[in-house]
Structures are given as structure tokens and as C-alpha cells.
């Protein structure tokens, strides 16, 4: 390290050039006017395309056409087969389990694990994400089905404890298909208009706080199946609290058989998953404990007749074969549009975060807009086959990547595994206990619960991100999934505004007589330049912080600018009164001289009399200085505003900057701007910042340019003042 420091000190560079201001650098090229003609011309150029452009567009829209012809069969095919089988085995129980979260029969989870997955293989740009059912999205859909199609609407006449599940499931299936279609349409439209950046409003702390809260919602929703309690479903604000209270009131009615089945399944699931995690490098593929538990529990349930002898709830009939496509019921659209948009954004945020993580690890790129299109087409297609909305799953994606998956061929193979289950194996799981599916759901949430460890990490690193995490978590816990997400997004945007409003302000100093300038208070090498103040802000300047910028600037200068200007005005007024007395005295002298009072000798001194007559006109008001008025002169004569961190200004900020120039020139301080970006300069130009008093000559290319200009003494020409001779 010492050798490196010595090496850095031995390196020298010397640049000799003239001082540049923006007036000398020239103005930017004029931008083309935003007219109808230019818009039409741009549209024509967009529509017109050659054969090569059409081919590139086709490859961009259907990525499989680009990579499949170049697929290295020998190197990748075996890994994709193993990965696809592994993911398919994992997808089967998860699809059945997550269907319960969505409020639909388990077979719909199998449909959702087949049709959308197959479509994504053609249109997706990520090679490693596993698309399909996911707990967070499923519980978001489930909250809608529970609120719009509650169990209370399907009680059999004469028996308020028995639900007409056939009628309920039919309506819920129509509702879920409508939600899925809207989700897909939103994602497709956002992708086509290149709106992939919308996910930037969902920061990582916001998403992790939201998904952690959703995990608790998922867990609580599955407790009724774990305990075998017939609980009513809620989806309004504070529904989580109400559900827990209802659970505790009926805890004494727990079905012991269901509880025993659940506990045994949870023990095995957690134990084997821990083995998979600790010995993943030594295992050829993860032990498919979900499928093993699914098969064994179904066999035991069938052999022992858990449902008949112990009252354990089972899945029931699972129809085999593919369903005919049907058009979703558009009558639900008005009621679910807002929720569908929230699901579309959350689903996309989860997918793109996983896709970017794997892309960075394996050295390829993903197209965020194409991912939106791929998810949209997957959900649109799935909506016609009774699927619920899908996204990527962290657990399955990790399995797909760790078992050798290299492309979405692995996803297609996993879809084939699900297809076989739909066609032949579905009826085998008729006796599967629902408690097993709930146990699988809870066991797969282990990684999500680890996100609570974000709290101490964010406490040490960034308190603002911690606040976003907590607000996202608490709002989702208390206000349910849809309202909680809206509150979290609004709060996240508010924190950005708040942080730019409460920006940091510094006085910079020069480091060792170089062109490097650092904060003078924090850096011992940085020394303020005598007579020059350099002020820096850490954020853009706009209506929310313009007043704070001006206030902080005056505070950092170490002088009360407003009070000094007021003193100057009072001193000028006092001098004017004194001068008026002299003028009146002169008038009296002149009058007596004309009357022959013995002062006729004054008439021979034309210069004195002329001066007295024109005294008020010969003293320009603008030529008065602080020193001539008896006021203390400031210890600095120049102020440089460093705009290196200013990315934009608005009209309010422009007016504030004009006032700063006027006020500081009033107290004999010349103001300059340095490091002004071209976009900010254009905004100042558009806001009529420049005039005959403020020109581009006051804008310098760098701080050092401004300091060199001031030090050379050239600035004295533009700020020269002449003092009034005292009478």
C-alpha cells in the first residue's frame, strides 16, 4: 500500500489552457422544434424498416428464434434436461399448493404451471428464471377472490355451515381468469410502450418489506388448513388481525388429526430442505422432498382413510386432461382493474430482479421491456385456460440454475412434466390432504422470512431505506396487500422528495493549490481561498428546496445578507437627507447672493455654484459603497455556486438564483456559477435567467476556471464601483 501511495505521488500532470466560460464555449446546437411535422416524420421513420431491421425486430420480439439455432446441444442439453425435470418435480406440488392461496381448486395451479411457462420459453430473455405460480402473487389474487366472491354468498339453503363449493369455485375461476387477463394486458402494454422503467419506483427495500409482509399473510391464511379449522376469509384492512383473533377464538376446535399430519410434514420438509441447502454442492440434484411428501401423504391418506376416520380435509376430485379455452368474463374488469395493475407491477418487479441477478452472474443481458412483454403474453394466454397470474419463483429459479439449466428449454421440459401430471397423474392426488399443501407453502417461505435480517443491515447502512422497508411492511400488514403496496410506493416517492429537499450544503476549499476542491470543514487539506466563497449543494434545485438553498447559502456565508442590505438602504437614505440639507443651504446662499447680501464674491466661482446646483443629479445612487457609507466591508468579494450536483432547475429555482445575483451584488459580491451541465444551462435559458446584468460570462466550465478568473483581477472590471466623496 505504501508503494502504491508513493507511486501515486510520483505521477504528475500539467494542463495549460485558457479560462473558459460558457459564453466562450458557445451555445448548444438548437433542438428541433416539437411540431406535428417532426412527430409525423419520426413516426414514418419508425414504421419504415428494411429487411434486416425487420429480422432484428423479430429476433427481439421472439428471442428463441435468435438463440435456438445456435444452441450448443452437446454442452447444454443434458444440463437443461436435468434442470427441467428437477424444476418440474418442484413445480408440481407448489402449483397445487399455491392454487389454495389464489382461492381456486388445486388443478388450476397445474394449469398455471404449464401454459404460461411454455409461452415464456418463446418470448423471455432470461435463461434461468422459472416462471409459474408464486406465493406473493397468489395471495394477492386470493385476497381479491375472498373479497368479491366470499364463502358467505354460497351457503346452502337451510344449512349455514355447508358451502356450495362447486358454484363458488366456478365463479372464482371466472374472476381469476379476468384478473389474469388484465394483468397480462397491463404488462403487455407497458412493455410495448417501453415502460419497463416503472419498476424503478419499487425500490429493493420496498419490495423486500412488501414480500415479507405478504409472507406473513400467506402463513396466516394457511393456518386454518394446518389446524383444520373452518374460518371465514377476510380481505379488508386489518384482515390479518381479525383472522388471528378468529383463529385464537376457535383454537380449541382444532382437528388433531390434521394438526399431526401438518406437523409431521413440516418437520420432514424443513429437515430435508436444510440438507439440500448445506450439501447442495455434493448433491447431483436437490432431494424433491415436496413430491416425496406429496406421494407418501396421499398413499397414507388413501390407505388409512384420513378424511373419513379423522376428518382431515382432502383436495377431492382433480379433473384430468386439458380444458378447452374460454374467453374471460369482462364484467369483472371494472372491479379488479386497480388490483390487476398492482399484481402486474409486483409480478414484473420480482421477475426482473431475479433475471438481472442471474444475468449478471452468468454474463448476459436481459431486456426489461421484453420481459414485460413475455410475462404479459404468458398471462394473457393463461387467462384463456383458467390460469392465475404467474411470475418468477426464487426457489425454483435457484434450482433451475444450480442443477445445470442454461436456457428456457429447461422451462419447457418442466412444463412437459406438468402436462403429464395434468393428463394422467392428476386423479392420483384425490386423497391428498390440504394440510400437506399448506405445509409445502409454509416450508417454501423460509427464505422469505430471512428478509427480516434486512432490518439490522439497513440500520447500519441506510436509515432511509430502513424506513421504507418498515413502512412497506407495516402498511401491508395493517392495510392488506393492495392498499399496503400503494402506501409503500407513495411513501417511497415522498422520501425521494424529502431527501432532495433536505440536501447537504458545503463550503469548498482548494486542496494544496490544485484544481481539486473539497469540503473545507471536513477535509484538513482543503483551505478556503481568501476573498472567494465556493458553495455546493448535493441535490437538484426546485420548488421544494429553493428557499432552503437560498437560506443555507446566506447562512454559510457567515453574514446576514438581508440585514446588511437593509443597513445599506438606511445609510443611503440618511446620506440623501444630508445632501438635501446641503442643497437647501446652497439655494439660500444663491438667493442671498442675488439680493446683494455681501456674498456676491461666490458668483465668480462658477465651479462651486455649478456643483451646488447640480449636486443631486451628480451623485448616482448605484455608486454608493459599503465603505463610503461607514459599513463594514465583507471579507470576500466573489461567490461561486458549484452546480456539479444540480441535475435540473425549475422556474422557482431560476427566480431564486436571480435574487441571489441581485442581492449579493448589492453588497459588492460578484456571483458566478461553475460546473453547470448543458441540460441545466438550457433550462436556465428557457426560464429567461440571462439578461443584460446576468450573462453567460458568469457561467464557468469548472470551479478552477472561475477561481483563476477571479484571481487574475479581471473580475474587478465587471464589479468596479466608485465611491462618493464626502461633503
Amino acid at each position: 500500500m505504501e508503494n502504491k501511495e508513493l507511486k501515486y505521488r510520483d505521477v504528475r500532470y500539467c494542463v495549460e489552457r485558457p479560462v473558459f466560460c460558457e459564453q466562450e464555449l458557445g451555445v448548444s446546437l438548437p433542438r428541433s422544434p416539437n411540431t406535428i411535422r417532426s412527430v409525423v416524420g419520426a413516426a414514418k421513420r419508425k414504421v419504415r424498416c428494411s429487411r434486416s431491421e425487420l429480422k432484428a425486430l423479430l429476433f427481439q420480439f421472439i428471442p428463441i428464434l435468435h438463440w435456438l439455432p445456435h444452441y450448443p446441444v452437446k454442452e447444454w442439453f443434458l444440463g437443461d434436461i436435468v434442470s427441467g425435470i428437477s424444476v418440474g418435480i418442484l413445480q408440481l406440488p407448489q402449483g397445487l399448493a399455491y392454487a389454495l392461496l389464489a382461492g381456486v381448486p388445486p388443478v388450476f395451479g397445474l394449469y398455471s404451471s404449464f401454459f404460461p411457462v411454455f409461452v415464456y420459453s418463446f418470448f423471455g430473455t432470461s435463461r434461468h428464471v422459472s416462471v409459474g405460480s408464486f406465493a406473493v402473487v397468489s395471495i394477492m389474487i386470493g385476497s381479491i377472490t375472498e373479497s368479491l366472491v366470499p364463502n358467505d354468498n354460497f351457503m346452502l339453503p337451510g344449512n349455514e355451515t355447508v358451502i356450495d363449493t362447486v358454484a363458488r369455485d366456478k365463479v372464482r375461476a371466472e374472476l381469476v381468469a379476468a384478473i389474469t387477463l388484465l394483468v397480462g394486458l397491463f404488462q403487455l402494454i407497458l412493455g410495448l410502450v417501453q415502460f419497463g422503467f416503472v419498476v424503478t419506483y419499487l425500490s429493493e427495500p420496498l419490495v423486500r418489506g412488501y414480500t415479507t409482509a405478504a409472507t406473513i399473510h400467506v402463513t396466516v391464511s394457511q393456518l386454518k388448513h394446518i389446524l383444520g379449522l373452518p374460518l371465514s376469509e377476510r380481505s379488508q384492512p386489518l384482515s390479518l388481525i381479525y383472522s388471528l383473533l378468529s383463529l385464537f377464538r376457535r383454537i380449541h376446535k382444532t382437528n388433531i388429526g390434521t394438526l399431526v399430519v401438518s406437523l409431521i410434514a413440516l418437520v420432514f420438509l424443513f429437515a430435508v430442505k436444510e440438507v439440500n441447502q448445506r450439501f447442495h454442492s455434493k448433491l447431483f440434484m436437490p432431494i424433491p422432498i415436496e413430491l416425496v411428501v406429496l406421494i407418501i401423504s396421499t398413499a397414507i391418506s388413501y390407505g388409512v382413510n384420513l378424511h373419513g376416520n379423522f376428518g382431515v380435509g382432502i383436495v377431492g376430485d382433480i379433473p384430468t386432461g386439458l380444458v378447452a379455452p374460454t374467453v374471460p368474463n369482462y364484467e369483472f374488469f371494472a372491479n379488479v382493474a386497480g388490483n390487476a395493475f398492482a399484481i402486474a407491477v409486483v409480478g414484473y418487479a420480482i421477475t426482473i430482479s431475479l433475471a438481472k441477478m442471474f444475468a449478471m452472474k452468468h454474463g448476459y443481458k436481459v431486456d426489461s421491456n421484453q420481459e414485460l412483454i413475455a410475462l404479459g403474453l404468458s398471462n394473457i394466454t393463461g387467462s384463456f385456460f383458467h390460469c392465475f397470474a404467474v411470475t418468477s419463483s426464487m426457489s425454483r429459479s435457484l434450482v433451475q440454475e444450480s442443477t445445470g439449466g442454461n436456457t428456457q428449454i429447461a422451462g419447457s421440459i418442466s412444463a412437459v412434466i406438468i402436462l403429464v401430471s395434468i393428463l394422467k397423474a392428476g386423479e392420483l392426488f384425490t386423497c391428498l390432504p390440504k394440510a400437506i399443501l399448506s405445509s409445502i407453502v409454509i416450508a417454501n417461505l423460509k427464505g422469505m422470512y430471512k428478509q427480516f435480517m434486512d432490518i439490522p443491515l439497513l440500520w447500519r447502512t441506510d436509515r432511509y431505506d430502513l424506513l421504507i422497508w418498515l413502512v412497506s411492511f407495516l402498511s401491508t400488514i395493517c392495510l392488506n396487500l393492495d392498499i399496503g403496496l400503494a402506501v409503500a410506493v407513495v411513501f417511497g416517492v415522498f422520501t425521494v422528495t424529502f431527501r432532495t429537499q433536505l440536501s447537504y450544503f458545503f463550503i469548498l476549499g482548494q486542496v494544496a493549490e490544485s484544481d481539486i476542491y473539497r469540503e473545507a470543514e471536513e477535509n484538513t487539506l482543503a483551505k478556503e481561498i481568501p476573498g472567494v466563497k465556493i458553495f455546493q449543494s448535493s441535490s437538484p434545485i426546485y420548488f421544494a428546496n429553493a428557499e432552503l438553498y437560498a437560506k443555507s447559502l446566506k447562512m454559510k456565508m457567515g453574514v446576514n445578507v438581508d440585514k446588511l442590505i437593509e443597513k445599506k438602504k438606511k445609510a443611503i437614505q440618511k446620506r440623501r437627507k444630508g445632501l438635501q440639507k446641503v442643497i437647501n443651504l446652497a439655494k439660500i446662499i444663491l438667493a442671498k447672493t442675488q439680493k446683494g447680501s455681501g456674498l456676491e464674491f461666490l458668483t465668480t466661482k462658477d465651479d462651486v455654484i455649478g456643483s451646488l446646483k447640480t449636486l443631486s443629479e451628480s451623485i448616482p445612487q448605484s455608486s454608493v459603497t459599503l465603505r463610503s457609507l461607514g459599513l463594514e466591508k465583507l471579507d470576500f468579494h466573489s461567490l461561486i455556486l458549484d452546480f456539479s450536483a444540480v441535475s435540473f432547475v425549475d422556474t422557482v429555482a431560476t427566480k431564486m438564483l436571480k435574487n441571489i445575483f441581485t442581492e449579493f451584488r448589492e453588497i459588492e459580491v460578484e456571483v458566478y456559477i461553475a460546473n453547470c451541465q448543458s441540460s441545466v444551462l438550457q433550462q436556465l435559458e428557457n426560464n429567461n435567467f440571462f439578461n443584460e446584468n446576468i450573462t453567460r460570462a458568469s457561467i464557468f466550465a469548472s470551479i478552477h476556471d472561475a477561481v483563476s478568473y477571479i484571481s487574475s483581477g479581471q473580475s474587478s472590471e465587471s464589479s468596479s464601483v466608485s465611491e462618493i466623496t464626502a461633503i
Side-chain angles (χ1 to χ4, degrees):
M1 183 63 70
E2 293 180 359
N3 293 334
K4 285 187 177 181
E5 291 180 358
L6 292 175
K7 184 177 180 180
Y8 293 151
R9 292 174 183 174
D10 291 339
V11 176
R12 294 285 187 272
Y13 79 90
C14 179
V15 177
E16 184 176 350
R17 62 169 177 81
V19 171
F20 287 119
C21 67
E22 291 297 334
Q23 190 171 7
E24 295 170 339
L25 289 174
V27 297
S28 303
L29 292 174
R31 297 183 179 181
S32 58
N34 187 16
T35 61
I36 297 178
R37 182 176 299 177
S38 62
V39 172
V40 172
K44 287 182 178 180
R45 290 191 298 271
K46 199 74 174 178
V47 173
R48 187 191 310 123
C49 70
S50 62
R51 184 176 180 181
S52 59
E53 290 174 339
L54 180 62
K55 183 178 179 181
L57 183 63
L58 187 63
F59 283 170
Q60 180 182 353
F61 186 70
I62 311 178
I64 194 172
L65 297 179
H66 176 68
W67 59 263
L68 187 59
H70 310 286
Y71 181 77
V73 178
K74 293 183 179 180
E75 292 83 359
W76 287 2
F77 188 59
L78 180 59
D80 281 337
I81 290 179
V82 174
S83 176
I85 295 174
S86 303
V87 173
I89 292 173
L90 183 61
Q91 182 107 273
L92 174 61
Q94 287 187 1
L96 294 171
Y98 292 151
L100 293 181
L101 292 178
V104 293
V107 69
F108 291 94
L110 297 181
Y111 299 153
S112 302
S113 301
F114 170 65
F115 292 103
V117 175
F118 200 70
V119 173
Y120 181 85
S121 301
F122 287 86
F123 296 97
T125 59
S126 175
R127 302 192 330 228
H128 295 91
V129 297
S130 174
V131 172
S133 56
F134 184 59
V136 174
V137 172
S138 298
I139 192 63
M140 293 179 73
I141 297 173
S143 67
I144 306 173
T145 59
E146 291 167 5
S147 61
L148 296 183
V149 191
N151 289 332
D152 297 339
N153 295 351
F154 298 92
M155 295 296 180
L156 292 177
N159 191 343
E160 297 182 355
T161 59
V162 180
I163 302 173
D164 187 356
T165 56
V166 176
R168 182 201 63 184
D169 292 343
K170 181 181 178 181
V171 178
R172 285 188 174 184
E174 294 179 354
L175 174 63
V176 168
I179 296 171
T180 305
L181 178 59
L182 274 182
V183 170
L185 288 174
F186 280 131
Q187 291 173 333
L188 179 62
I189 293 171
L190 290 175
L192 291 176
V193 299
Q194 307 291 297
F195 212 63
F197 68 89
V198 69
V199 76
T200 58
Y201 292 100
L202 300 179
S203 64
E204 184 179 357
L206 187 151
V207 172
R208 291 176 71 86
Y210 178 80
T211 53
T212 305
T215 300
I216 295 180
H217 276 279
V218 171
T219 303
V220 172
S221 70
Q222 296 307 295
L223 290 179
K224 62 182 179 181
H225 297 300
I226 296 290
L227 301 175
L229 295 175
L231 297 179
S232 59
E233 299 161 339
R234 303 174 184 269
S235 60
Q236 72 272 24
L238 299 178
S239 61
L240 187 70
I241 308 299
Y242 291 135
S243 297
L244 287 174
L245 291 176
S246 178
L247 182 72
F248 289 136
R249 290 194 192 103
R250 302 185 183 184
I251 195 73
H252 61 283
K253 297 181 180 180
T254 299
N255 185 299
I256 302 300
T258 303
L259 179 60
V260 171
V261 169
S262 303
L263 292 177
I264 294 174
L266 285 172
V267 169
F268 277 99
L269 286 168
F270 280 119
V272 177
K273 281 183 174 292
E274 187 67 23
V275 172
N276 285 338
Q277 183 177 354
R278 292 193 177 187
F279 301 99
H280 69 279
S281 59
K282 298 180 180 180
L283 295 173
F284 177 70
M285 60 178 289
I287 301 173
I289 184 60
E290 288 96 341
L291 184 61
V292 172
V293 169
L294 206 69
I295 295 173
I296 294 177
S297 61
T298 303
I300 294 176
S301 175
Y302 177 78
V304 182
N305 192 10
L306 291 177
H307 178 62
N309 295 331
F310 301 97
V312 177
I314 59 175
V315 170
D317 292 334
I318 298 180
T320 57
L322 296 175
V323 294
T326 56
V327 179
N329 189 348
Y330 64 88
E331 294 179 358
F332 292 108
F333 286 178
N335 296 326
V336 300
N339 303 90
F341 184 80
I343 295 172
V345 173
V346 171
Y348 169 65
I350 295 171
T351 295
I352 196 64
S353 60
L354 289 174
K356 288 184 176 180
M357 180 184 73
F358 289 117
M360 184 178 298
K361 181 178 180 181
H362 293 275
Y364 64 93
K365 293 183 179 180
V366 293
D367 187 339
S368 57
N369 292 306
Q370 181 60 30
E371 286 298 302
L372 265 174
I373 294 173
L375 282 177
L377 292 174
S378 299
N379 284 317
I380 290 173
T381 303
S383 67
F384 290 91
F385 294 93
H386 304 288
C387 301
F388 51 84
V390 298
T391 185
S392 299
S393 166
M394 169 68 84
S395 59
R396 293 197 307 272
S397 298
L398 289 173
V399 169
Q400 181 166 320
E401 187 256 354
S402 61
T403 53
N406 293 289
T407 65
Q408 282 302 325
I409 287 180
S412 299
I413 293 174
S414 70
V416 171
I417 300 293
I418 300 299
L419 177 62
V420 172
S421 302
I422 294 173
L423 296 177
K424 298 296 181 182
E427 59 187 7
L428 299 178
F429 296 107
T430 301
C431 296
L432 172 65
K434 289 184 178 179
I436 296 297
L437 296 179
S438 296
S439 300
I440 292 173
V441 170
I442 294 175
N444 281 288
L445 297 177
K446 178 183 177 182
M448 304 290 287
Y449 275 110
K450 290 182 178 179
Q451 293 180 158
F452 277 110
M453 298 306 298
D454 292 349
I455 296 177
L457 176 63
L458 293 175
W459 175 263
R460 295 190 300 268
T461 55
D462 194 323
R463 305 286 173 84
Y464 281 107
D465 282 347
L466 174 60
L467 192 59
I468 293 173
W469 196 102
L470 292 174
V471 169
S472 178
F473 175 80
L474 294 175
S475 62
T476 306
I477 288 291
C478 298
L479 302 177
N480 214 352
L481 295 167
D482 47 358
I483 303 176
L485 178 63
V487 171
V489 172
V490 171
F491 183 79
V493 174
F494 170 75
T495 57
V496 174
T497 305
F498 183 76
R499 294 172 78 169
T500 56
Q501 185 177 0
L502 296 182
S503 55
Y504 297 99
F505 304 99
F506 314 101
I507 294 295
L508 303 183
Q510 189 178 29
V511 177
E513 297 183 356
S514 66
D515 60 345
I516 300 174
Y517 295 85
R518 292 291 183 269
E519 186 180 354
E521 296 179 358
E522 299 292 335
N523 196 315
T524 56
L525 297 178
K527 306 296 180 183
E528 290 189 43
I529 301 173
V532 180
K533 293 285 188 179
I534 306 172
F535 181 76
Q536 184 187 65
S537 169
S538 63
S539 70
I541 309 173
Y542 63 112
F543 68 92
N545 66 355
E547 183 178 353
L548 179 63
Y549 182 92
K551 183 178 179 181
S552 301
L553 170 63
K554 295 174 182 178
M555 186 183 302
K556 290 287 186 179
M557 295 302 103
V559 61
N560 193 327
V561 177
D562 298 328
K563 189 174 182 180
L564 185 57
I565 293 175
E566 185 180 354
K567 285 183 177 181
K568 181 180 179 181
K569 290 180 179 179
K570 289 182 179 180
I572 291 175
Q573 189 66 26
K574 184 177 180 181
R575 169 162 289 190
R576 285 177 181 171
K577 291 180 180 180
L579 293 177
Q580 189 62 41
K581 291 181 180 180
V582 174
I583 293 172
N584 293 336
L585 178 60
K587 290 180 179 179
I588 295 173
I589 293 174
L590 291 174
K592 290 184 177 181
T593 301
Q594 294 171 359
K595 295 177 181 180
S597 59
L599 299 175
E600 290 84 351
F601 69 94
L602 291 175
T603 59
T604 60
K605 300 185 180 293
D606 295 334
D607 54 342
V608 176
I609 299 301
S611 297
L612 291 174
K613 287 182 178 180
T614 61
L615 186 59
S616 60
E617 301 175 357
S618 63
I619 303 176
Q621 297 178 3
S622 61
S623 63
V624 192
T625 64
L626 295 175
R627 187 168 295 171
S628 67
L629 294 173
L631 300 177
E632 184 179 357
K633 187 173 177 62
L634 300 180
D635 59 353
F636 63 98
H637 53 75
S638 299
L639 169 63
I640 301 174
L641 304 178
D642 180 19
F643 270 32
S644 58
V646 178
S647 58
F648 70 90
V649 293
D650 61 1
T651 55
V652 176
T654 303
K655 292 178 182 178
M656 180 272 299
L657 290 172
K658 279 187 174 181
N659 291 336
I660 287 177
F661 271 76
T662 302
E663 291 175 355
F664 276 89
R665 284 177 175 176
E666 189 73 20
I667 58 175
E668 301 169 20
V669 175
E670 195 64 27
V671 183
Y672 305 93
I673 296 177
N675 291 324
C676 186
Q677 302 176 30
S678 57
S679 59
V680 177
L681 195 64
Q682 186 64 46
Q683 289 169 356
L684 292 174
E685 184 80 42
N686 296 338
N687 295 337
N688 299 320
F689 175 71
F690 299 107
N691 51 39
E692 62 276 4
N693 296 321
I694 306 175
T695 66
R696 285 176 174 264
S698 301
I699 316 293
F700 285 88
S702 68
I703 297 177
H704 201 60
D705 282 279
V707 171
S708 300
Y709 174 76
I710 295 168
S711 301
S712 67
Q714 296 180 27
S715 61
S716 60
E717 297 177 4
S718 60
S719 61
S720 60
V721 294
S722 57
E723 297 187 4
I724 302 175
T725 306
I727 301 178

